């Protein structure tokens, strides 16, 4: 299966985000990728970066999602689109899954919020397995995938061979300029990405924005924990990776005995 990770610069508005989505999805489609994943809260743009309130209304978000569905259909590519999304009076951080025919297949909410995010979003309460072309996959969003490995194991135990991980770690203002993936001096994030793949024997596809001071690269991690491919730090573009699904056995996830951890009472 050929997958794509899109690493855009931060959009300046909802419309600029959609324009970037259109260009990057078209490129991924031309490269014969079956699915392209974007970073966390890509539409209408990550909170706290000065976006207009008009871009964040329920009507604006519904219009943007409809546009994204049309982009998927016209380019014959499935899209994993992380958005801020209004459900009733609450705002959730989630990722919509759109088929290559432009159909909505569902969404995955961010269920484990970072403590600093409690005032930004409402935490979700359920997980979902998705399927494209007979390939099962899960989604875990940023903090969840880095600090809650259970979110990835849940999907792997239910047959997911890939878990997509839209996230945002880094800054355009200050930080450390990374040069080598997984270097010991780097923040721990890339090591966590490697562990999510290795401890479950699945592919872990993690996608970040192209920021000046990224704290993790966009990368596809193989089931043995090695970095199969990565996007250069600070460079916008689409990472196209052909993955061998026969290697994503999920054997380590399937051998986990949850009853010994969650149900058995110890003396």
């Amino acid at each position: 299966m050929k997958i794509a990770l899109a690493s855009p610069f931060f959009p300046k508005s909802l419309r600029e985000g959609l324009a970037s989505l259109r260009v990057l999805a078209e490129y991924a489609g031309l490269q014969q990728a079956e699915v392209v994943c974007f970073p966390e809260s890509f539409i209408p743009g990550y909170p706290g970066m000065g976006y207009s309130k008009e871009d964040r209304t329920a009507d604006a978000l519904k219009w943007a999602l409809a546009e994204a569905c049309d982009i998927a259909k016209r380019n014959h590519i499935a899209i994993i689109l992380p958005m801020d999304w209004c459900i009733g009076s609450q705002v959730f951080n989630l990722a919509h899954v759109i088929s290559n025919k432009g159909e909505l297949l569902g969404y995955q909410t961010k269920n484990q919020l970072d403590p600093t995010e409690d005032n930004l979003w409402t935490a979700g309460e359920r997980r979902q397995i998705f399927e494209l072309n007979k390939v099962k996959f899960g989604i875990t969003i940023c903090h969840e995938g880095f600090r809650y490995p259970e979110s990835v194991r849940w999907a792997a135990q239910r047959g997911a061979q890939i878990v997509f991980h839209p996230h945002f770690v880094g800054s355009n203002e200050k930080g450390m300029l990374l040069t080598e993936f997984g270097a010991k001096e780097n923040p721990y994030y890339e090591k966590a990405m490697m562990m999510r793949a290795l401890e479950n024997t699945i592919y872990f596809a993690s996608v970040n924005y192209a920021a000046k001071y990224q704290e993790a690269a966009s990368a596809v991690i193989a089931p043995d924990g090695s970095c199969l491919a990565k996007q250069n730090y600070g460079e916008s573009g689409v990472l196209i990776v052909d993955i061998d699904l026969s290697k994503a056995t999920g054997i380590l996830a399937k051998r986990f005995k949850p009853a010994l951890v969650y149900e058995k009472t110890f003396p």
Side-chain angles (χ1 to χ4, degrees):
M1 185 180 196
K2 190 175 285 189
I3 65 174
L5 303 183
S7 300
F9 295 119
F10 297 105
K12 295 179 181 178
S13 66
L14 182 149
R15 287 184 178 274
E16 184 174 299
L18 282 174
S20 180
L21 177 78
R22 187 174 296 108
V23 170
L24 297 175
E26 180 180 10
Y27 175 82
L30 290 172
Q31 300 303 309
Q32 305 301 310
E34 295 177 55
V35 58
V36 58
C37 182
F38 286 80
E40 179 183 22
S41 198
F42 180 55
I43 300 292
Y46 203 87
M49 294 190 175
Y51 297 106
S52 71
K53 292 182 179 179
E54 288 75 16
D55 279 359
R56 311 188 77 80
T57 65
D59 286 344
L61 295 173
K62 289 177 182 177
W63 171 78
L65 180 58
E67 290 291 303
C69 289
D70 184 60
I71 291 170
K73 182 178 180 179
R74 283 190 284 109
N75 292 286
H76 310 289
I77 187 169
I79 297 176
I80 298 173
L81 179 59
M83 297 183 70
D84 287 3
W85 191 253
C86 300
I87 301 176
S89 60
Q90 298 174 315
V91 179
F92 291 81
N93 176 330
L94 54 75
H96 288 287
V97 178
I98 306 168
S99 79
N100 62 1
K101 296 179 180 178
E103 302 164 333
L104 285 172
L105 302 182
Y107 61 81
Q108 176 61 61
T109 51
K110 188 176 187 178
N111 299 339
Q112 294 285 167
L113 300 180
D114 184 270
T116 62
E117 298 172 343
D118 287 339
N119 294 325
L120 293 177
W121 299 298
T122 298
E125 296 182 344
R126 62 185 293 268
R127 306 211 68 81
Q128 184 173 342
I129 293 291
F130 302 91
E131 188 170 328
L132 287 172
N133 300 334
K134 299 183 180 180
V135 177
K136 292 183 178 180
F137 66 92
I139 299 170
T140 185
I141 301 174
C142 198
H143 178 72
E144 290 186 312
F146 288 133
R147 297 183 178 90
Y148 291 87
E150 299 87 352
S151 66
V152 180
R153 177 145 289 175
W154 183 93
Q157 284 200 304
R158 287 158 179 79
Q161 293 180 283
I162 316 166
V163 169
F164 289 93
H165 179 229
H167 72 271
F168 164 48
V169 288
S171 170
N172 273 336
E173 283 71 47
K174 60 181 180 179
M176 176 181 175
L177 287 171
L178 306 188
T179 58
E180 180 186 352
F181 185 89
K184 64 181 181 180
E185 299 85 6
N186 292 7
Y188 87 101
Y189 299 114
E190 291 171 343
K191 287 88 164 178
M193 290 155 54
M194 296 163 73
M195 287 306 302
R196 296 301 86 83
L198 175 63
E199 66 201 7
N200 292 295
T201 332
I202 61 168
Y203 287 95
F204 193 73
S206 187
V207 56
N208 195 6
Y209 289 92
K212 183 175 182 180
Y213 302 103
Q214 281 182 236
E215 294 183 348
S218 294
V220 175
I221 311 300
D224 64 0
S226 62
C227 180
L228 187 60
K230 67 177 183 62
Q231 181 76 3
N232 292 334
Y233 299 112
E235 184 179 295
S236 178
V238 181
L239 184 67
I240 307 290
V241 184
D242 202 349
I243 60 175
D244 181 355
L245 291 168
S246 69
K247 296 180 178 179
T249 63
I251 187 170
L252 293 180
K254 293 169 184 175
R255 285 177 61 85
F256 177 60
K257 301 174 182 178
L260 298 182
V261 178
Y262 300 116
E263 297 174 16
K264 187 177 176 70
T265 300
F266 293 91

